[in-house]
Amino acid sequence: MQVVSIDKIGEFKGQEVSIRGWVYNKRSSGKIKFLLLRDGTGIIQCVVVSSESGQEAFERFEKLTQESSLIVTGIVNEDKRAPSGHELLVKGIEVLHISHDYPITPKEHSVGYLLDRRHLWMRSQRQSAILRIRAEVIKAIRDFLDNEGFILADTPIFTPTSCEGTSTLFETKYYDRTAYLTQSGQLYNEATAMALGKVYCFGPAFRAEKSKTRRHLTEFWQVEPEAAFYDLDAMADVAERMIEYVVKKVLSKKGSELATLERDTAPLEKIKAPFPKITYAGALAILKKRDIELEYGSDFGGSDETALSEDFDNPVFVTSFPLQTKPFYMKSDPDNPELALCFDILAPEGYGEIVGGSQRVDDADVLRERIAEHNLPKEHFEWYLDLRRFGSVPHSGFGMGVERTVAWLCGIKHIREAIPFPRTIYRISP
Ligand code: 4AD
Ligand code: MG
């Protein structure tokens, strides 16, 4: 018997096929029984009538419970009302395993209860739609960068020192030494960019965030492009075109998942590069008009970012942050040395910062001073200084957080649902 997946069922109209999957739900209506079968690619309604399926399948249906695994064989019939456009007229049921007391029922559960059962929760239609969109986001990012000639160059997870400040480092034993889990692949990207020109790394980043918010994970995925000879504007251009590309791909390929999530796609359809740019000082002025007083030099909180994005349909660049608030590696603006050549991109609809980028210090002496000012262990930065000793060039890069981007595109409140197994301040299991 031909085994098919539910997403491809339309190609087998009128034919007898087998589908392997799990019981999503079932119900009886007199002599007709309905089985909702899910196989990871979708859900299909299977209709069981004893005249077609035989008595044995009819009896097996009775024993089926939520999430029991089985192989159902039947004829594919068109049914315009069904979500997949088709249903299966059952000819036979082979039970693989009967599941007992599945803990997640169609009734409401608390988020804590569901997170404790994340390994099962992800089987739900909503959660699996989010994970499919995540996979599309990652593919779109990679396709975009590959097509633009960026070379994927992986960066290490174990590192000897920090990139984004020492206050969020996860320390780990490394034989008889101390190592830290990477906060960002950027410093290594700068080396691979000098070797390969345009590069990106794509991997997990770790931050011992002290605050518990809906935008912070302790382990998140980041894509970080870096390019030699790119100034800040050239990198900003890559970032906005990449975001536009990812949004378009998700809209065109993941329509049914967005519908499952009841995501209003109208705001996403408006996303179009170029994106507006405001300065940090301009952002403070906008906030002030909204009665939010922020001291010059302080970072935006979640609610500030939300307020800032309200004025724009597109993602918005915030540039020219005060240099002293930023990491050691950012180049200062030659026209105004107090300011950094950097940008954040805030997503629309209050989703906050999804991208952080900058032009890098390219002068060895300036960089050495900065490393000292930030009290960083200079012995671990000698190799990094080499990049300014041997053919230094202007260069820039940025990092985009996958989960924040996915949360925005899915329209979900908390980024913990945007990754298969979230790691937060209070949770490392399952
Ligand atoms: O702005 P960040 O800290 O920038 C860097 O790490 C640079 N080294 C990137 C670069 O220039 N190569 O982080 C970049 C992005 C943020 O905009 C955000 O989307 C995401 O990473 N991010 C987090 N996502 C989830 N949880 C956290 N705790 C995050 N911290 C940063
Ligand atoms: Mg940032």
Side-chain angles (χ1 to χ4, degrees):
M1 187 57 54
Q2 179 146 34
V3 176
V4 303
S5 60
I6 294 169
D7 60 343
K8 299 267 157 49
I9 202 78
E11 298 165 22
F12 299 91
K13 220 169 8 184
Q15 297 178 38
E16 189 166 323
V17 300
S18 292
I19 303 175
R20 300 183 288 209
W22 296 264
V23 174
Y24 198 66
N25 213 336
K26 66 173 202 177
R27 66 189 166 89
S28 296
S29 167
K31 288 193 173 134
I32 310 181
K33 320 248 174 230
F34 298 98
L35 173 71
L36 280 184
L37 178 71
R38 66 165 193 90
D39 75 343
T41 72
I43 292 188
I44 191 167
Q45 174 162 280
C46 307
V47 183
V48 194
V49 284
S50 61
S51 57
E52 294 285 341
S53 70
Q55 196 55 32
E56 201 179 357
F58 213 63
E59 282 160 20
R60 285 178 182 166
F61 174 91
E62 294 303 329
K63 298 212 173 67
L64 292 175
T65 53
Q66 193 185 348
E67 290 302 320
S68 289
S69 51
L70 70 171
I71 302 173
V72 182
T73 300
I75 312 279
V76 180
N77 285 329
E78 203 163 21
D79 177 4
K80 295 241 154 53
R81 292 157 308 169
S84 65
H86 298 83
E87 60 175 28
L88 199 71
L89 181 61
V90 174
K91 292 289 185 184
I93 292 176
E94 182 189 338
V95 178
L96 300 180
H97 179 251
I98 294 290
S99 135
H100 291 289
D101 302 322
Y102 188 67
I104 302 177
T105 58
K107 72 166 197 202
E108 288 271 314
H109 298 287
S110 74
V111 176
Y113 180 94
L114 293 168
L115 283 169
D116 285 341
R117 292 158 188 82
R118 181 63 174 165
H119 53 294
L120 302 175
W121 185 26
M122 55 175 55
R123 299 181 186 191
S124 76
Q125 264 188 292
R126 264 186 75 81
Q127 295 303 315
S128 52
I130 296 168
L131 296 183
R132 279 198 206 99
I133 290 170
R134 177 188 169 97
E136 188 63 43
V137 166
I138 292 172
K139 178 173 161 42
I141 290 169
R142 303 235 357 220
D143 285 348
F144 175 84
L145 292 171
D146 292 345
N147 291 339
E148 296 264 324
F150 284 76
I151 308 294
L152 177 70
D154 303 313
T155 52
I157 305 281
F158 285 129
T159 58
T161 181
S162 78
C163 173
E164 295 299 319
T166 50
S167 67
T168 60
L169 281 174
F170 276 114
E171 193 177 305
T172 177
K173 251 178 67 179
Y174 194 76
Y175 302 98
D176 55 356
R177 279 175 291 170
T178 298
Y180 305 96
L181 301 182
T182 184
Q183 298 166 307
S184 157
Q186 179 196 318
L187 307 185
Y188 297 96
N189 267 347
E190 292 181 50
T192 56
M194 298 308 139
L196 300 162
K198 299 198 289 186
V199 298
Y200 68 103
C201 64
F202 203 132
F206 304 88
R207 301 209 189 159
E209 301 285 359
K210 307 291 187 290
S211 54
K212 184 175 176 274
T213 79
R214 62 193 181 92
R215 292 176 186 165
H216 288 90
L217 296 170
T218 54
E219 179 178 317
F220 65 96
W221 284 67
Q222 210 184 3
V223 58
E224 296 179 88
E226 186 81 29
F229 304 105
Y230 274 42
D231 65 9
L232 191 70
D233 285 341
M235 236 336 135
D237 175 70
V238 174
E240 65 189 356
R241 286 186 301 107
M242 182 171 103
I243 292 170
E244 181 183 349
Y245 182 89
V246 170
V247 173
K248 289 222 158 76
K249 280 290 169 196
V250 168
L251 282 172
S252 69
K253 296 218 164 155
K254 291 290 161 250
S256 81
E257 284 80 0
L258 292 168
T260 296
L261 297 170
E262 295 172 352
R263 173 62 159 120
D264 175 9
T265 55
L268 298 179
E269 271 147 28
K270 290 188 196 148
I271 305 302
K272 196 168 168 29
F275 299 160
K277 288 195 171 98
I278 57 174
T279 61
Y280 174 82
L284 289 190
I286 293 177
L287 290 174
K288 194 162 180 196
K289 269 199 228 133
R290 294 176 175 254
D291 289 326
I292 305 174
E293 288 280 353
L294 219 64
E295 211 178 305
Y296 187 84
S298 49
D299 230 344
F300 300 128
S303 54
D304 306 325
E305 289 178 353
T306 300
L308 285 172
S309 68
E310 273 164 14
D311 283 0
F312 305 96
D313 285 342
N314 265 311
V316 55
F317 283 94
V318 185
T319 64
S320 310
F321 284 74
L323 187 66
Q324 107 261 355
T325 67
K326 288 291 180 186
F328 74 98
Y329 53 70
M330 288 189 186
K331 189 176 168 81
S332 74
D333 185 342
D335 298 331
N336 192 343
E338 305 277 277
L339 302 179
L341 288 178
C342 70
F343 58 75
D344 279 3
I345 300 179
L346 309 182
E349 300 175 78
Y351 280 90
E353 179 201 328
I354 51 171
V355 167
S358 63
Q359 188 162 334
R360 322 306 191 186
V361 174
D362 47 29
D363 180 273
D365 294 330
V366 174
L367 188 57
R368 205 177 290 108
E369 270 168 41
R370 290 283 192 76
I371 290 167
E373 280 166 22
H374 285 254
N375 293 317
L376 294 167
K378 64 177 195 298
E379 66 279 16
H380 291 307
F381 288 91
E382 283 306 318
W383 70 268
Y384 187 63
L385 281 160
D386 273 353
L387 307 177
R388 282 77 179 164
R389 289 187 187 110
F390 304 111
S392 188
V393 300
H395 62 289
S396 303
F398 67 86
M400 178 162 100
V402 169
E403 291 75 19
R404 289 193 191 171
T405 305
V406 171
W408 163 44
L409 296 178
C410 290
I412 55 178
K413 282 206 194 74
H414 201 300
I415 66 168
R416 66 191 162 209
E417 292 179 39
I419 185 166
F421 292 97
R423 297 290 176 252
T424 54
I425 195 164
Y426 298 119
R427 180 175 295 279
I428 52 163
S429 69

